C-alpha cells in the first residue's frame, strides 16, 4: 500500500467542508483517481471520516461502473458499445485491441499498463465509433489505428452546432467557452440581471408563459416545476442541473457545456432567484471530464466577478453551485436516483410520490432540470423570447453530417435527415429511424415525414425524448440493432425493482438468441409479456421505457419474432 | 376520512392509508413479496401493483396513498399479466423451492414456473461459514429485507449490503467476507424476514 497516497486521501478528507455522507461519491472518485482503484484501507479511512459503514461503501462502489475494488491499469481504454458505435463495428475493434494487447475485457495486463472494457455510450455518437482513453475522448476509432488508440491519439470530437436561426447555440464559436468576458460581451447574464429586477412571481409566470417544456426527455412544463418548488415555504430549496447525459444517441448537453456553459449557470441563477434557493448542484456524468473541468473554471470566474456566491451583484441574493461527478451509471440521470447519488448512496430511484418539488435531494424541495432547459431559461429573460421555438436535435447514425442541430419545432423528420443531415451515406436507402434513443422506439415508415413537435409525435405514439434521431441504412439489421439496445438496458438497469431487474435480462437473453439463431415459437409472447410488465409496473422511467424499442419492433416487423412455420399473428 | 372505490366496493378510510391497507380493511388481500409489516416498504417487487383510473402506469399499493374518489382495480387483466410475468421471471432466475409463499402466489396467478427455464439462473455455492446460519443465495430474490433489518430498520449492525447492479445485484458482506469476519452480531433478524428460505438457522436446516 502506498502510504503517501493514503496521506493524500486523508488530506483531501480533512479538507472537506462537510464530513457527511454526501461527500461519499466525491471521496470515492478521489480515491479511484489516486490509487487506480479503491483499496480496503481507503474504504476504512473514508468510512471513519464520513461516518458511513464500510459495507455500505462497498455496496456503493459495486454499483458504479467507474469505481473498482480491484486494481485497474495505468491506461484504461473504454470502447463505446452503444447501438450507434456497435453498428459501426466497435465490438470488432474492441476484440482486436484486446488481442493486440493480449488481455481480456475488464482484466488489466499483468504489467498493469493497460485495461480494456466496453462502456455504454460516451455521448460521442456523431463521431462513432468512439472510445475514452483514460479521460481523453477519441473519435472514429478503427482497427487500422489501434496504435494511436493505445497512445490516446486520434480525432477529437467537434463541438459545434448547425442552425440557420440559432438561439441556444448563438454563442457557439463566437466566444471562448471559459471566458466570462466573452460571455458578457455576447449579452451573457443580461437575462439574470433583468430577472433580478422582477419579483419572483413574475419570473415564474414568464417561464410558464414561455411554454418551455423540459428538454431532458420527459417534457414536463418547466414553469410549473418552478411554481411548485417556490410555493413551498420550506427554507431549504435546491436547484439541480442534470448533466448526467447518458442516453445512447444524446450528446447535446456535452456540446452545450463545452460551448456556452455560462448560459447554463445563468439559467440556474435565474431559477434559484425565482424559487428562493441558495444552493445548487450540477451533476455531470463521470465520462465528461472535459466538461467538468470547464465548468469548474466557469464557477470560479463567476464567483470572482460577483455573479455567484454571497450577495450576488449587491442584490442581497446568494447562491452557490457545486459540481458533482457521476461515476458510470445511466440510471443516475433519473432525477430521484441522481438525488440518492448526491446523498452518497447506490443510484436507486425512489418511489414517487413524493415528487422532487416536495421532497428531492436531502428530502428538500428540489427544482431539477436538464442542461438545455437551463440554457433556454437564460434566453427567455435575456432576449425576451416568449416562446420555446427551437430545440436541440442530436442526429447520428448513417447520415452524411451527423451532429448537433438547433432547429424549430415542427421541422419534418425526413427534412432534418435529408436537408440538414445530407441524407444517408452513399445515398443508401434508410432501413429505419429511432427517435428518443435506446429508450425510444422505431418510427414506422408512414411517419418519416412527421413534424417534430410534441403534439404530432404524441398523436403518432412517438416521443422525441432528449432530441435523439438515429438513422440506420439498409445495410443494418433490426435484430442486431435490437440486440445492442437490449444489451444496454441489461447493463444499465439498477436492479431495484423486479420488472426491470429481471425483465431487462430476460429481454436481452431472448433478443440475443433471436439475433444469433432466430426466434423460438414462444419468443414473441414472452417478449410481449416482459415488455408490458416493464412498461406498466417498473418503478422508474428507465424500466418503463426499456422495452419500448422491442415492443415497437414487434409491432413493425412481427415476422422477425415468429419462428419459421409458426403462426404469424 | 375519505371515500374511494376498490374493486367497485365503496371504502371509507383515513386519508393517510395506503391502497393496500384500505383494501385489507374491506377484505381484499393484495399479494406482495417485499412488503413487511415492520419494515420501511421499498416498493420494489411490484407484485402489489394495482390499476388506478387515470394513472398512466400501475401503482404499487404498498406505498401509494388513497385519494378521495379514487377508483382502484386490484385484479384487472393488466394487473394479472404483470403479477404472473414477474413470478415467472423470478422462477426463471432463482430457486424458489423453499419459498412457500411465492409458490402459493404462483398457483393463484396461474404462473408457469418453467416458462423461463432456459434462461440463465443465479446459482451460487452455499455459504456455510458460521455456527448459526446457512446462506443459500441461489434462493435469494434480492428483496433486501435482510439488509434493511441489519441496517437502519432494526439492528444497526451494518453487516450486509446489496452489491452489484441490475440482474447482478447480490446480498453481500464487506468484500464478501465470511460472516464471523464482519460486524454481524448473529441477532437472527435477517432469518426471520427472509421470504424464500435463502437464510436459515442451522438447526432448521438439519
Amino acid at each position: 500500500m502506498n502510504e503517501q497516497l493514503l496521506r493524500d486521501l486523508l488530506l483531501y478528507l480533512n479538507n472537506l467542508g462537510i464530513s457527511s455522507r454526501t461527500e461519499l461519491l466525491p471521496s470515492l472518485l478521489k480515491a479511484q483517481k489516486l490509487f487506480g482503484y479503491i483499496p480496503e484501507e481507503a474504504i476504512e479511512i473514508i468510512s471513519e471520516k464520513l461516518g458511513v459503514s464500510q459495507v455500505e461503501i462497498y455496496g456503493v462502489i459495486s454499483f458504479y461502473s467507474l469505481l473498482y475494488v480491484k486494481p485497474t491499469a495505468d491506461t484504461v481504454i473504454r470502447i463505446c458499445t452503444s447501438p450507434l458505435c456497435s453498428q459501426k463495428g466497435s465490438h470488432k475493434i474492441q476484440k482486436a485491441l484486446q488481442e493486440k494487447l493480449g488481455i481480456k475485457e475488464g482484466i488489466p495486463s499483468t504489467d498493469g499498463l493497460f485495461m480494456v472494457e466496453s462502456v455504454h455510450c460516451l455521448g460521442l455518437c456523431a463521431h462513432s465509433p468512439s472510445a475514452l482513453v483514460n479521460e481523453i475522448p477519441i473519435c472514429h476509432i478503427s482497427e487500422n489505428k489501434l496504435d494511436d488508440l493505445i497512445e490516446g491519439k486520434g480525432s477529437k470530437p467537434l463541438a459545434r452546432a448547425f442552425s440557420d436561426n440559432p438561439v441556444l447555440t448563438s454563442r457557439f464559436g463566437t466566444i471562448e467557452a471559459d471566458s466570462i468576458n466573452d460571455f458578457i460581451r455576447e449579452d451573457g447574464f443580461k437575462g439574470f440581471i433583468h430577472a433580478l429586477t422582477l419579483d419572483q412571481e413574475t419570473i415564474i409566470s414568464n417561464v410558464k408563459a414561455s411554454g418551455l417544456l423540459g428538454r431532458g426527455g420527459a417534457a414536463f412544463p418547466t414553469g410549473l416545476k418552478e411554481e411548485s418548488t417556490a410555493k413551498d415555504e420550506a427554507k431549504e430549496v435546491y436547484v439541480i442541473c442534470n448533466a448526467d447525459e447518458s442516453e445512447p444517441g444524446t450528446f447535446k448537453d456535452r456540446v452545450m457545456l463545452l460551448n456556452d456553459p455560462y448560459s447554463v449557470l445563468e439559467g440556474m441563477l435565474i431559477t434559484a432567484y425565482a424559487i428562493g434557493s441558495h444552493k445548487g448542484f450540477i451533476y455531470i456524468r463521470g465520462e465528461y471530464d472535459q466538461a467538468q473541468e470547464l465548468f469548474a473554471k466557469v464557477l470560479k470566474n463567476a464567483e470572482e466577478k460577483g455573479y455567484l456566491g454571497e450577495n450576488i451583484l449587491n442584490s442581497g441574493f446568494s447562491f452557490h453551485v457545486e459540481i458533482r461527478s457521476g461515476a458510470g451509471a445511466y440510471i443516475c440521470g433519473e432525477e430521484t436516483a441522481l438525488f440518492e447519488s448526491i446523498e452518497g448512496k447506490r443510484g436507486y430511484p425512489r418511489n414517487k410520490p413524493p415528487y422532487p418539488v416536495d421532497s428531492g435531494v436531502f428530502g428538500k424541495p428540489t427544482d431539477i432540470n436538464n442542461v438545455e432547459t437551463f440554457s433556454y431559461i437564460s434566453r427567455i429573460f435575456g432576449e425576451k423570447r416568449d416562446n420555446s421555438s427551437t430545440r436541440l436535435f442530436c442526429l447520428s447514425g448513417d447520415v452524411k453530417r451527423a451532429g448537433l442541430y438547433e432547429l424549430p419545432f415542427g421541422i419534418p423528420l425526413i427534412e432534418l435527415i435529408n436537408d440538414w443531415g445530407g441524407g444517408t451515406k452513399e445515398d443508401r436507402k434508410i432501413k429505419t429511424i429511432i427517435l428518443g434513443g435506446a429508450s425510444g422506439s422505431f418510427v414506422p415508415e408512414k411517419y418519416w415525414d412527421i413534424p417534430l413537435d410534441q403534439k404530432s409525435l404524441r398523436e403518432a405514439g412517438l416521443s422525441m425524448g432528449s432530441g435523439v434521431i438515429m438513422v440506420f441504412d439498409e445495410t443494418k439489421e433490426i435484430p442486431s440493432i435490437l440486440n445492442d439496445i437490449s444489451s444496454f438496458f441489461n447493463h444499465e438497469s439498477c436492479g431495484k425493482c423486479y420488472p426491470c431487474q429481471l425483465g431487462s435480462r430476460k429481454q436481452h437473453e431472448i433478443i440475443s438468441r433471436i439475433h444469433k439463431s432466430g426466434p423460438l415459437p414462444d419468443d414473441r409472447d414472452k417478449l410481449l409479456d416482459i415488455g408490458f410488465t416493464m412498461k406498466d409496473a417498473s418503478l422508474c422511467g428507465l424500466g418503463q421505457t426499456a422495452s419500448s424499442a422491442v415492443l415497437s419492433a414487434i409491432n413493425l416487423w412481427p415476422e422477425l419474432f415468429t419462428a419459421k412455420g409458426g403462426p404469424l399473428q | 376520512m375519505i371515500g374511494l372505490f376498490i374493486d367497485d366496493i365503496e371504502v371509507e378510510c383515513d386519508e393517510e392509508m395506503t391502497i393496500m391497507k384500505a383494501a385489507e380493511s374491506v377484505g381484499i388481500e393484495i399479494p406482495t413479496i417485499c412488503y413487511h409489516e415492520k419494515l420501511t416498504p421499498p416498493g420494489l417487487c411490484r407484485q402489489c401493483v394495482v390499476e388506478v383510473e387515470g394513472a398512466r402506469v400501475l401503482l404499487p399499493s404498498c406505498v401509494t396513498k388513497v385519494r378521495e374518489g379514487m377508483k382502484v382495480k386490484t385484479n384487472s387483466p393488466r394487473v394479472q399479466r404483470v403479477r404472473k410475468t414477474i413470478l415467472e421471471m423470478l422462477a426463471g432466475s432463482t430457486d424458489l423451492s423453499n419459498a412457500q409463499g411465492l409458490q402459493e402466489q404462483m398457483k393463484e396467478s396461474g404462473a408457469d414456473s418453467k416458462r423461463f427455464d432456459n434462461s440463465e439462473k443465479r446459482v451460487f455455492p452455499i455459504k456455510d461459514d458460521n455456527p448459526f446460519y446457512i446462506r443459500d443465495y441461489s434462493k435469494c430474490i434480492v428483496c433486501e429485507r435482510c439488509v434493511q433489518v441489519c441496517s437502519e430498520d432494526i439492528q444497526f449492525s451494518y453487516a450486509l449490503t446489496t452489491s452489484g447492479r441490475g440482474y447482478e445485484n447480490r446480498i453481500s458482506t464487506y468484500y464478501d467476507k465470511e460472516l464471523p469476519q464482519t460486524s454481524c452480531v448473529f441477532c437472527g433478524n435477517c432469518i426471520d424476514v427472509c421470504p424464500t428460505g435463502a437464510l436459515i438457522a442451522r438447526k432448521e436446516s438439519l
Side-chain angles (χ1 to χ4, degrees):
Chain A
M1 180 48 47
N2 189 322
E3 294 296 326
Q4 182 55 45
L5 294 179
L6 274 180
R7 278 196 292 275
D8 289 349
L9 179 64
L10 200 59
L11 188 69
Y12 169 86
L13 291 165
N14 285 337
N15 285 339
L16 287 175
I18 323 158
S19 283
S20 70
R21 184 157 190 165
T22 178
E23 292 296 337
L24 182 57
L25 219 53
S27 304
L28 292 173
L29 284 162
K30 178 73 186 175
Q32 177 68 42
K33 203 159 196 163
L34 285 170
F35 298 94
Y37 75 111
I38 304 168
E40 202 172 338
E41 291 86 341
I43 296 183
E44 282 162 13
I45 297 177
I46 293 171
S47 166
E48 201 189 310
K49 284 282 167 192
L50 302 184
V52 185
S53 74
Q54 295 176 355
V55 76
E56 283 177 286
I57 297 180
Y58 183 74
V60 168
I61 294 171
S62 67
F63 186 85
Y64 294 95
S65 297
L66 296 178
L67 303 176
Y68 303 79
V69 287
K70 285 186 184 151
T72 55
D74 295 350
T75 303
V76 180
I77 305 173
R78 298 185 171 90
I79 308 283
C80 177
T81 53
S82 85
L84 291 155
C85 290
S86 165
Q87 290 299 316
K88 293 197 178 172
S90 64
H91 284 286
K92 256 181 84 187
I93 300 171
Q94 183 181 347
K95 203 165 155 252
L97 179 65
Q98 285 167 194
E99 274 167 18
K100 189 179 173 73
L101 293 168
I103 50 179
K104 287 188 176 146
E105 166 154 23
I107 299 169
S109 57
T110 41
D111 56 10
L113 289 179
F114 294 102
M115 186 165 114
V116 177
E117 57 182 25
S118 59
V119 59
H120 285 272
C121 196
L122 293 168
L124 301 168
C125 324
H127 321 283
S128 53
S130 62
L132 204 58
V133 180
N134 287 342
E135 289 87 28
I136 306 164
I138 307 287
C139 304
H140 303 297
I141 59 170
S142 92
E143 275 185 79
N144 306 325
K145 294 184 284 185
L146 291 181
D147 288 322
D148 283 357
L149 180 61
I150 290 166
E151 289 174 36
K153 290 186 204 153
S155 64
K156 300 283 177 283
L158 290 174
R160 55 177 292 199
F162 306 89
S163 181
D164 57 359
N165 184 20
V167 179
L168 283 156
T169 59
S170 63
R171 295 191 190 97
F172 284 26
T174 69
I175 60 169
E176 283 295 324
D178 62 351
S179 163
I180 193 165
N181 291 331
D182 280 14
F183 178 69
I184 291 168
R185 189 194 72 218
E186 294 294 325
D187 293 337
F189 290 128
K190 226 169 104 180
F192 174 51
I193 290 164
H194 173 56
L196 284 176
T197 67
L198 306 172
D199 59 48
Q200 297 179 311
E201 286 81 34
T202 311
I203 300 175
I204 293 169
S205 67
N206 281 357
V207 176
K208 279 173 79 177
S210 79
L212 180 59
L213 303 176
R215 301 286 172 87
F220 191 84
T222 309
L224 212 57
K225 249 191 216 178
E226 280 187 12
E227 188 176 54
S228 321
T229 328
K231 251 193 209 160
D232 205 290
E233 282 165 19
K235 277 189 191 121
E236 231 179 312
V237 188
Y238 289 91
V239 170
I240 296 182
C241 177
N242 184 346
D244 192 45
E245 175 175 77
S246 324
E247 179 71 43
T250 317
F251 46 86
K252 66 191 181 76
D253 296 342
R254 179 180 60 78
V255 179
M256 174 58 77
L257 285 171
L258 293 180
N259 276 282
D260 193 2
Y262 288 99
S263 72
V264 180
L265 176 63
E266 186 178 356
M268 290 178 76
L269 279 162
I270 294 169
T271 305
Y273 181 68
I275 67 171
S277 166
H278 305 295
K279 178 73 197 253
F281 291 95
I282 178 166
Y283 188 101
I284 307 178
R285 72 176 295 199
E287 292 83 353
Y288 285 0
D289 196 65
Q290 208 189 343
Q292 290 184 15
E293 262 181 43
L294 182 62
F295 213 82
K297 279 188 207 157
V298 163
L299 294 181
K300 190 169 161 281
N301 293 343
E303 240 170 272
E304 279 170 12
K305 281 257 180 188
Y307 287 94
L308 191 65
E310 293 297 315
N311 190 21
I312 294 168
L313 303 176
N314 292 316
S315 64
F317 164 64
S318 302
F319 185 58
H320 299 264
V321 176
E322 207 179 305
I323 300 174
R324 285 305 177 95
S325 171
Y330 168 75
I331 182 62
C332 289
E334 198 280 341
E335 54 194 11
T336 61
L338 189 151
F339 301 152
E340 293 280 305
S341 186
I342 289 182
E343 292 176 18
K345 299 173 190 162
R346 291 163 59 80
Y348 270 3
R350 301 172 181 167
N351 282 293
K352 289 190 262 193
Y355 294 98
V357 292
D358 298 316
S359 174
V361 74
F362 309 122
K364 306 291 180 194
T366 303
D367 190 354
I368 178 166
N369 286 306
N370 169 259
V371 169
E372 183 186 345
T373 313
F374 276 121
S375 185
Y376 211 101
I377 291 173
S378 76
R379 266 77 180 190
I380 293 172
F381 292 89
E383 297 149 39
K384 297 207 172 61
R385 286 200 176 264
D386 55 358
N387 57 51
S388 31
S389 52
T390 65
R391 76 158 295 158
L392 301 178
F393 294 97
C394 308
L395 178 64
S396 61
D398 301 318
V399 287
K400 289 198 182 102
R401 278 191 305 275
L404 185 65
Y405 291 84
E406 182 184 2
L407 295 168
F409 278 99
I411 181 168
L413 175 59
I414 201 74
E415 194 180 312
L416 201 163
I417 293 169
N418 286 336
D419 296 359
W420 286 91
T424 53
K425 286 181 181 159
E426 295 169 37
D427 298 319
R428 293 193 184 113
K429 265 180 72 182
I430 294 175
K431 175 90 152 214
T432 189
I433 305 167
I434 294 179
L435 271 188
S439 55
S441 46
F442 293 96
V443 184
E445 199 166 339
K446 63 174 174 181
Y447 290 132
W448 284 2
D449 59 353
I450 193 167
L452 294 173
D453 59 63
Q454 304 288 350
K455 189 169 167 280
S456 310
L457 289 169
R458 200 180 316 118
E459 282 168 9
L462 294 164
S463 162
M464 202 148 37
S466 45
V468 181
I469 300 160
M470 307 198 277
V471 181
F472 299 94
D473 70 24
E474 58 189 331
T475 65
K476 307 298 187 293
E477 297 296 336
I478 302 297
S480 170
I481 299 169
L482 275 181
N483 186 50
D484 291 333
I485 291 175
S486 63
S487 162
F488 173 76
F489 287 110
N490 177 47
H491 189 262
E492 295 300 339
S493 165
C494 80
K496 178 175 178 177
C497 79
Y498 289 175
C500 181
Q501 176 211 95
L502 304 167
S504 60
R505 170 59 62 101
K506 306 294 175 211
Q507 173 176 271
H508 181 52
E509 283 178 349
I510 297 171
I511 292 292
S512 161
R513 183 165 38 68
I514 290 177
H515 171 46
K516 277 196 199 97
S517 54
L520 295 176
D522 52 355
D523 278 349
R524 182 180 162 277
D525 287 347
K526 280 182 185 166
L527 284 172
L528 286 171
D529 278 344
I530 295 169
F532 281 109
T533 298
M534 292 171 86
K535 186 178 167 181
D536 224 4
S538 289
L539 193 152
C540 80
L542 187 161
Q544 288 163 13
T545 55
S547 59
S548 301
V550 172
L551 292 176
S552 73
I554 294 176
N555 204 15
L556 288 174
W557 305 285
E559 67 282 3
L560 294 177
F561 303 88
T562 313
K564 270 195 187 124
L568 219 167
Q569 288 164 5
Chain B
M1 295 293 266
I2 60 156
L4 70 155
F5 293 89
I6 303 180
D7 295 341
D8 297 324
I9 302 171
E10 205 170 343
V11 185
E12 268 213 353
C13 68
D14 187 272
E15 60 182 25
E16 283 302 305
M17 227 178 211
T18 61
I19 296 175
M20 184 186 273
K21 289 289 166 199
E24 218 175 272
S25 74
V26 289
I28 299 169
E29 202 186 320
I30 299 175
T32 175
I33 301 170
C34 67
Y35 180 82
H36 189 284
E37 284 289 335
K38 289 182 181 152
L39 307 177
T40 316
L44 61 80
C45 75
R46 317 305 274 185
Q47 194 64 6
C48 74
V49 291
V50 293
E51 190 169 342
V52 174
E53 202 178 283
R56 183 177 53 89
V57 290
L58 303 176
L59 303 178
S61 61
C62 65
V63 290
T64 307
K65 287 187 180 150
V66 292
R67 254 195 347 261
E68 179 64 45
M70 213 179 212
K71 292 196 173 83
V72 181
K73 297 277 180 208
T74 69
N75 203 19
S76 68
R78 257 171 86 188
V79 170
Q80 287 172 12
R81 182 184 202 178
V82 160
R83 283 195 190 135
K84 181 168 164 284
T85 308
I86 291 174
L87 289 166
E88 287 173 340
M89 291 197 294
L90 262 185
S93 311
T94 311
D95 171 6
L96 299 179
S97 58
N98 283 6
Q100 238 174 24
L102 284 176
Q103 285 182 15
E104 275 163 31
Q105 284 184 22
M106 308 240 334
K107 215 179 278 170
E108 188 83 10
S109 66
D112 170 7
S113 65
K114 298 197 176 359
R115 192 173 186 205
F116 291 99
D117 253 7
N118 51 16
S119 159
E120 184 200 332
K121 287 206 178 196
R122 302 186 274 211
V123 182
F124 311 98
I126 289 175
K127 286 189 190 290
D128 185 358
D129 56 16
N130 68 86
F132 308 103
Y133 316 146
I134 291 173
R135 296 178 290 151
D136 181 0
Y137 286 124
S138 302
K139 296 190 172 75
C140 172
I141 54 170
V142 208
C143 66
E144 302 190 343
R145 279 185 188 173
C146 56
V147 180
Q148 285 189 294
V149 295
C150 194
S151 318
E152 285 90 353
D153 268 16
I154 295 189
Q155 195 64 28
F156 292 88
S157 284
Y158 299 104
L160 299 174
T161 184
T162 307
S163 71
R165 190 167 78 198
Y167 194 72
E168 315 295 332
N169 272 355
R170 308 271 178 270
I171 303 304
S172 165
T173 57
Y174 183 48
Y175 279 94
D176 221 8
K177 291 180 187 191
E178 298 193 336
L179 266 188
Q181 269 80 61
T182 70
S183 52
C184 173
V185 295
F186 299 97
C187 66
N189 281 317
C190 54
I191 300 194
D192 290 343
V193 295
C194 178
T196 60
L199 304 177
I200 40 172
R202 187 171 287 279
K203 52 176 192 281
E204 275 176 47
S205 73
L206 291 172

